[in-house]
Amino acid sequence: AEAEDGGPQPEKHCGHGRGGMGEEVKRKEDQRFITGRGNYVDDIKKPDMLHCEIVRSPHAHARIENIDKSRALDVDGVVAVLTADDLREYDLATMPTLMADTQDVLVNDKVKFQSQEVAAVIATDRYTAKDGAQKVVVDYDVLEPVVDAEKSLEDDAPLIRDDIEGQEDNHCLDWETGDEEATAEAFENADVTVKEQMLYQRLHPAPIETCGAVGDYDPGKDKLTVHMTSQAPHIHRTLFAQVSGIPEHKIRIVSPDVGGGFGNKVPIYPGYVVAAAASYVLEQPVKWVEERSENIQSTGFARDYDMTGELAATDDGEILAVRTDVLADHGAYNAVAQPSKFPAGFFNIFTGSYDIDTAYGSLTAAYTNTAPGGVAYRCSFRVTEAVYLIERMVKVLADELGMDPVEIRRKNFIQPEQFPYESPTGWNYDSGDYEGALDKALEMADYDHYREEQQRRIDEDADTLLGIGISSFTEVVGAGPGKTCDIAGVEMFDSAEIRVHPTGNATVRVGVQTQGQGHETTFAQIVAEELGMDVEDITVEHGDTDTDPYGLGTYGSRSTPVAGAAAAVASRKVREKAKAIAANELEAAKEDITWDRESGEFHVAGAPDRSISITEIAAGAYMNHPSSEEPGLEAVNYYDPPEMTYPFGSYIVVVEVDRETGEVEFEKFVAVDDCGNRINPMIIEGQIHGGLAQGIGTAMLEHVTFDDNGNVTGGDFMNYLLPTSMEIPNFETGHTVTPSPHHPIGAKGVGESPTVGSPPAIVNAVVDAMSHAGITHVEMPMTPDTVWEKLDEAGLAT
Ligand code: MCN
Ligand code: CUM
């Protein structure tokens, strides 16, 4: 049933009342979160635990001439001061990044960005460690910094990476995709071409919980446990083993409750390594937890793509080709968090939702004296940038042609019958109905009414202008397949293990790691659906490498597409064995046993009254197992997806722009999403709301900025503006359902869609308010002064 207001549609009738697929089950994990019983890294306390504080460089570019630890060591309670020289003894002075660059754990020779880790002070409590850190005297020979990608590629720019042999400039990498020649030809022959330059500014994921770790080496067991804020504990363990030389089975990574990740907790940071190394050396637990400004200034940033977009089209709006060139700022190290064979992430999905024959993209990345990054911030590896580019360019083209942005989209959409669809840059879209989602959004947004209202205000020279922005995005989520996607060589599969206990309840362990997405609920729902169990009888565990099956972690909205698939497949394996047990209990042949999804029971074909539930089967598995089977009832699945999934949606944003102040107000915000079959509509709704808020932050407020001396001027929450409830309008959400044909339960990921899809809709809306006066673009963040300048340029300011 559809809610009358077009809002969330309850699907209480699915899931057969046991909390399976489609039911709005309340989040199981919230019991502990809302009663203050969450267990985050900083909640972990160990006997004799020491605390680590990191000494950071005030300079963005400087050679270290000397570090004097003596005064710090004199502070009562300071136990040790570590520098690169100390770490070198253990071969830990440097660590590999996820892109196989080499990053200093503590600066070896030269500081390359402000706030880089120079030394670590270990003390009996955090305040003493901080006192000690202030007494470490570092002599710097300050060098000229360069914090701008374009300037860093100029001939006379200071060389940042003199530690890389043969490196003579600040050039990091080049990348290209598509067919350059065919694209050039399409541009030559086109009726119309448009071009626009746009910066997707540097953002910070800014999870509420900053990064931290508790290193805990047990000399008795010769085992290193590291509790850490990790989105990917298993791969982090593998990397720890490779870097430290400690055998992998002697390392345990525990990712307890994680207070938001958003991509920020995918990389390995020096602080983790220092806490682990210090506990190993001192044989005492060592805790390191960042402060807010440390998190913003030194951990992985997102975006920083300066893009030029071009479209070639016919007079009547058929898009023939797209071309783009990007200048990417990678910071001081190449530490982007992406599958290793994708140096520009999944940016080459920039043909978006449109059936465009020809495309070409090129990219140059530069090193700058800024923190390393390029993590995917709720974006599935640069899809945000790609979607921004194409959705902005479609609006630019529509304005050039004087076409309605709805009509131009309809004309160019990939049609439902074209799926599976191969894009000109090699993506295999699984399924989609783009027009269906757009139609629904148009209806919910009362599009025609606002178009009339917009014209009325122009005609009457009103004080506020109205703008309507659309984004019809396509996402690509669920990496692997393992053959094309890996992290540090490890294929991007994922896993689930199900153990049904003798009394009929179950423990499910997965290789992914929740940071707030509600996995303890939704994975239980998948298993409940597939085994006819009640969701309350299933506990989901994750985040402990000692007990959970290996998986590549949660990012790129891959948990549902990959580990969710594993959970379904593992359930079906359990179901198969359950049939053998049912046959034994019911004294029938296994071939005659069928499972009824509705009742969740197993019965003899043709005799529905001879039935048995999973609880009774569980008892049978342990207390009366058939001789043909092993006792017990469990299964594990490692799932390598054949393809990614392609969720999509259409967002429509209506804004009012004040001609006097440049202020933008949201009048209407409609988001229609399609993530295939939905496990928990309420959790999806929460994901969409959160992601839209982040999209608003992106479009309106957020930007990590630097001054010419390399100082981070957007490095704290006074200067890096996050949206609050005051800036967030009422969202109207809707959905369509186009299942993924290759996913075992037809689901696609959804976690990132709203952050990917919303910024171009918002910018398109603000541009749309001024496009009648010739404005084609407004840069993000669209602060009132940025918007006012555009109003002024267009002669619209009052
Ligand atoms: N879901 C569903 N039905 C679907 C698809 C998803 O019910 N068809 C549910 C899932 O079961 C899961 C949630 O929605 O509970 C998100 O699922 P999915 O899209 O698979 O994404 P992941 O679980 O892999 O989460 C990752 C994604 C990313 S990459 C970022 S970044 C992000 C996001 O999730 N970080 C978050 N949402 C976040 N939400 C919170 N609260 N905190 C973060 O750090
Ligand atoms: Cu795209 S940020 Mo998430 O991948 O953790």
Side-chain angles (χ1 to χ4, degrees):
E2 293 201 3
E4 257 145 17
D5 59 359
Q9 277 118 65
E11 294 183 0
K12 298 233 158 54
H13 304 299
C14 320
H16 328 290
R18 292 184 296 272
M21 282 290 288
E23 280 195 62
E24 297 196 328
V25 177
K26 283 194 180 161
R27 294 189 357 153
K28 289 155 80 84
E29 45 268 81
D30 284 348
Q31 178 63 26
R32 69 175 184 279
F33 292 145
I34 63 178
T35 55
R37 289 176 172 85
N39 183 42
Y40 300 88
V41 163
D42 203 21
D43 293 320
I44 293 168
K45 294 182 179 66
K46 304 261 174 194
D48 296 331
M49 187 170 75
L50 300 170
H51 294 258
C52 169
E53 187 72 24
I54 290 183
V55 178
R56 294 174 184 275
S57 170
H59 307 291
H61 201 190
R63 216 166 282 284
I64 293 185
E65 301 200 310
N66 186 45
I67 302 178
D68 180 1
K69 308 173 176 182
S70 59
R71 285 179 55 211
L73 286 167
D74 284 346
V75 175
D76 213 21
V78 168
V79 176
V81 178
L82 301 176
T83 64
D85 288 343
D86 303 301
L87 295 181
R88 209 167 292 121
E89 273 178 50
Y90 302 90
D91 231 3
L92 285 176
T94 60
M95 60 180 199
T97 69
L98 295 181
M99 278 291 160
D101 195 354
T102 303
Q103 180 173 348
D104 289 356
V105 173
L106 295 172
V107 175
N108 276 285
D109 167 39
K110 197 176 80 167
V111 170
K112 298 182 187 68
F113 61 93
Q114 190 183 46
S115 286
Q116 191 172 0
E117 301 81 359
V118 172
V121 177
I122 321 289
T124 46
D125 66 85
R126 189 169 187 174
Y127 302 98
T128 307
K130 221 176 169 53
D131 287 347
Q134 277 167 2
K135 293 204 156 65
V136 175
V137 181
V138 186
D139 295 336
Y140 295 98
D141 175 18
V142 180
L143 305 168
E144 184 197 341
V146 55
V147 293
D148 176 282
E150 207 177 319
K151 285 187 192 151
S152 86
L153 292 179
E154 286 169 6
D155 288 343
D156 57 349
L159 178 65
I160 299 167
R161 296 304 302 275
D162 53 1
D163 57 315
I164 303 175
E165 223 180 88
Q167 179 86 24
E168 281 168 4
D169 55 22
N170 295 321
H171 180 260
C172 173
L173 63 91
D174 285 314
W175 169 89
E176 63 175 348
T177 182
D179 188 333
E180 185 173 15
E181 233 171 90
T183 305
E185 207 179 295
F187 269 85
E188 268 163 41
N189 298 329
D191 298 335
V192 190
T193 62
V194 286
K195 185 173 183 173
E196 195 69 59
Q197 192 184 349
M198 55 193 89
L199 174 70
Y200 210 129
Q201 78 274 27
R202 181 176 292 220
L203 299 177
H204 203 275
I208 292 178
E209 179 202 31
T210 59
C211 298
V214 178
D216 186 6
Y217 174 65
D218 178 345
K221 289 186 185 156
D222 186 24
K223 184 156 184 170
L224 174 68
T225 300
V226 188
H227 301 262
M228 62 186 258
T229 49
S230 170
Q231 292 181 228
H234 296 278
I235 189 71
H236 284 167
R237 183 187 63 180
T238 301
L239 290 170
F240 260 88
Q242 286 170 347
V243 174
S244 67
I246 300 172
E248 198 163 353
H249 67 113
K250 295 284 189 186
I251 302 176
R252 175 184 178 205
I253 304 280
V254 183
S255 191
D257 285 329
V258 178
F262 306 111
N264 188 237
K265 292 164 181 170
V266 176
I268 289 195
Y269 297 120
Y272 299 146
V273 178
V274 170
S279 86
Y280 195 82
V281 174
L282 300 169
E283 300 191 351
Q284 264 172 275
V286 176
K287 180 189 276 187
W288 162 75
V289 175
E290 279 171 351
E291 288 184 6
R292 175 61 56 193
S293 54
E294 295 183 283
N295 179 257
I296 302 182
Q297 293 176 20
S298 71
T299 65
F301 68 88
R303 326 286 193 247
D304 222 336
Y305 262 29
D306 196 350
M307 309 182 281
T308 305
E310 290 177 90
L311 290 183
T314 61
D315 275 332
D316 57 357
E318 189 196 329
I319 305 173
L320 304 170
V322 49
R323 183 161 57 195
T324 178
D325 184 42
V326 180
L327 176 59
D329 187 337
H330 277 210
Y333 298 95
N334 189 15
V336 296
Q338 278 153 193
S340 67
K341 296 185 187 82
F342 294 82
F346 299 166
F347 181 71
N348 63 343
I349 192 158
F350 60 74
T351 52
S353 308
Y354 310 102
D355 187 13
I356 304 174
D357 283 343
T358 324
Y360 176 70
S362 53
L363 174 143
T364 299
Y367 295 114
T368 60
N369 287 117
T370 63
V375 298
Y377 160 36
R378 216 167 178 166
C379 79
S380 196
F381 316 125
R382 308 284 190 187
V383 180
T384 341
E385 289 92 322
V387 163
Y388 185 65
L389 180 92
I390 185 70
E391 289 304 309
R392 278 293 299 117
M393 288 314 297
V394 167
K395 164 69 176 156
V396 173
L397 178 63
D399 285 344
E400 174 71 22
L401 291 168
M403 258 176 105
D404 189 305
V406 171
E407 291 321 310
I408 199 163
R409 284 184 168 81
R410 281 195 208 287
K411 195 166 191 112
N412 291 286
F413 276 148
I414 301 162
Q415 295 300 312
E417 64 276 8
Q418 286 177 272
F419 294 93
Y421 170 85
E422 193 183 329
S423 85
T425 53
W427 296 100
N428 285 298
Y429 293 34
D430 57 347
S431 62
D433 177 5
Y434 301 145
E435 211 158 347
L438 179 58
D439 281 336
K440 181 149 197 172
L442 288 168
E443 196 188 308
M444 284 168 63
D446 206 355
Y447 184 73
D448 295 335
H449 158 74
Y450 282 109
R451 278 280 171 232
E452 281 166 29
E453 173 64 14
Q454 178 181 43
Q455 194 55 46
R456 188 189 66 76
R457 295 199 192 187
I458 294 170
D459 295 343
E460 294 176 4
D461 200 23
D463 292 339
T464 56
L465 295 162
L466 207 69
I468 307 156
I470 302 175
S471 161
S472 293
F473 65 94
T474 292
E475 253 264 65
V476 47
V477 306
K483 286 282 164 286
T484 45
C485 295
D486 70 273
I487 286 192
V490 183
E491 295 179 19
M492 290 177 77
F493 57 84
D494 228 288
S495 60
E497 178 205 88
I498 301 171
R499 293 186 183 180
V500 184
H501 309 304
T503 51
N505 36 49
T507 302
V508 177
R509 291 176 168 149
V510 289
V512 290
Q513 164 62 36
T514 191
Q515 310 114 43
Q517 294 90 340
H519 290 177
E520 287 166 45
T521 308
T522 45
F523 278 96
Q525 287 184 260
I526 294 172
V527 176
E529 171 72 28
E530 293 294 329
L531 285 178
M533 292 178 76
D534 194 295
V535 71
E536 290 307 322
D537 292 337
I538 299 164
T539 296
V540 175
E541 293 183 357
H542 45 65
D544 186 338
T545 58
D546 262 12
T547 51
D548 303 327
Y550 201 105
L552 274 283
T554 290
Y555 43 80
S557 299
R558 64 187 296 283
S559 303
T560 304
V562 194
V569 174
S571 301
R572 289 169 194 177
K573 285 188 182 175
V574 169
R575 210 159 75 200
E576 261 326 287
K577 180 165 182 187
K579 281 185 184 167
I581 296 158
N584 189 42
E585 296 289 319
L586 297 169
E587 296 175 352
K590 188 186 169 192
E591 305 77 62
D592 291 339
I593 301 293
T594 57
W595 179 70
D596 177 46
R597 189 174 289 271
E598 194 62 38
S599 67
E601 303 218 317
F602 296 77
H603 59 88
V604 182
D609 51 319
R610 285 176 66 198
S611 70
I612 179 170
S613 71
I614 189 80
T615 308
E616 294 163 287
I617 288 171
Y622 291 89
M623 299 167 196
N624 181 33
H625 82 277
S627 55
S628 63
E629 303 289 323
E630 294 172 16
L633 190 55
E634 27 180 286
V636 56
N637 178 250
Y638 287 81
Y639 189 83
D640 182 20
E643 252 306 330
M644 284 185 243
T645 67
Y646 294 73
F648 59 93
S650 266
Y651 295 169
I652 300 183
V653 175
V654 182
V655 295
E656 277 191 332
V657 177
D658 189 317
R659 292 170 60 190
E660 193 178 348
T661 62
E663 250 173 306
V664 175
E665 289 222 358
F666 293 99
E667 169 73 21
K668 203 163 189 71
F669 208 120
V670 169
V672 172
D673 271 279
D674 191 320
C675 57
N677 288 337
R678 293 148 38 103
I679 303 160
N680 186 324
M682 187 165 58
I683 284 183
I684 293 173
E685 181 83 355
Q687 288 290 307
I688 304 281
H689 276 230
L692 292 177
Q694 289 177 309
I696 288 174
T698 300
M700 309 306 294
L701 298 164
E702 300 178 36
H703 193 182
V704 181
T705 48
F706 298 87
D707 70 13
D708 288 345
N709 295 321
N711 297 309
V712 193
T713 47
D716 53 52
F717 279 168
M718 289 296 286
N719 296 293
Y720 187 82
L721 303 179
L722 290 187
T724 70
S725 59
M726 299 302 291
E727 285 82 28
I728 304 302
N730 186 35
F731 300 125
E732 293 167 57
T733 58
H735 69 277
T736 56
V737 175
T738 311
S740 169
H742 62 73
H743 189 277
I745 55 170
K748 303 179 179 186
V750 77
E752 298 163 309
S753 292
T755 316
V756 170
S758 60
I762 301 166
V763 177
N764 284 347
V766 174
V767 170
D768 190 64
M770 300 183 268
S771 54
H772 64 287
I775 295 301
T776 56
H777 183 59
V778 182
E779 288 281 35
M780 301 187 290
M782 298 185 294
T783 54
D785 51 325
T786 313
V787 175
W788 192 86
E789 265 172 40
K790 286 287 169 182
L791 286 165
D792 193 40
E793 183 187 320
L796 293 168
T798 58

